[in-house]
């Protein structure tokens, strides 16, 4: 599924609302579930666009995935409102 930047932003904000909303930057810095889902959305968007910026985004996604034990491959399509209630051993 091809997506544009606006759709990617809508998915990110739906994920933010699924964990209770609030400040995007604060959630990105301090919420493990949102860190993984944010970088998943960015890496997937860049992968579908065949952008060379995919590689740094995928590296960030992999870093947070390993750090918090959430295995979410970038090639998997996930709908809106993605939220992990706990962040350990999810593969």
């Amino acid at each position: 599924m091809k997506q544009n930047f606006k759709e990617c932003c809508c998915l990110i904000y739906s994920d933010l609302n699924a964990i209770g909303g609030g400040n995007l930057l604060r959630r990105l810095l301090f919420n493990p579930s949102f860190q993984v889902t944010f970088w998943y959305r960015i890496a997937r968007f860049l992968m579908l666009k065949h952008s060379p910026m995919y590689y740094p985004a995928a590296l960030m996604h992999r870093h947070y995935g390993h750090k918090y034990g959430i295995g979410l491959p970038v090639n998997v399509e996930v709908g809106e409102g993605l939220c992990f209630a706990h962040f350990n051993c999810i593969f």
Side-chain angles (χ1 to χ4, degrees), residues 76-90:
V76 174
E77 184 177 341
V78 179
E80 59 187 35
L82 179 60
C83 175
F84 298 104
H86 63 88
F87 53 89
N88 195 6
C89 297
I90 302 173

Side-chain angles (χ1 to χ4, degrees), residues 26-41:
R26 184 176 297 138
R27 293 288 187 171
L28 184 58
L29 292 175
F30 300 114
N31 188 302
S33 173
F34 190 67
Q35 289 172 345
V36 173
T37 57
F38 175 83
W39 286 109
Y40 161 77
R41 299 288 187 195

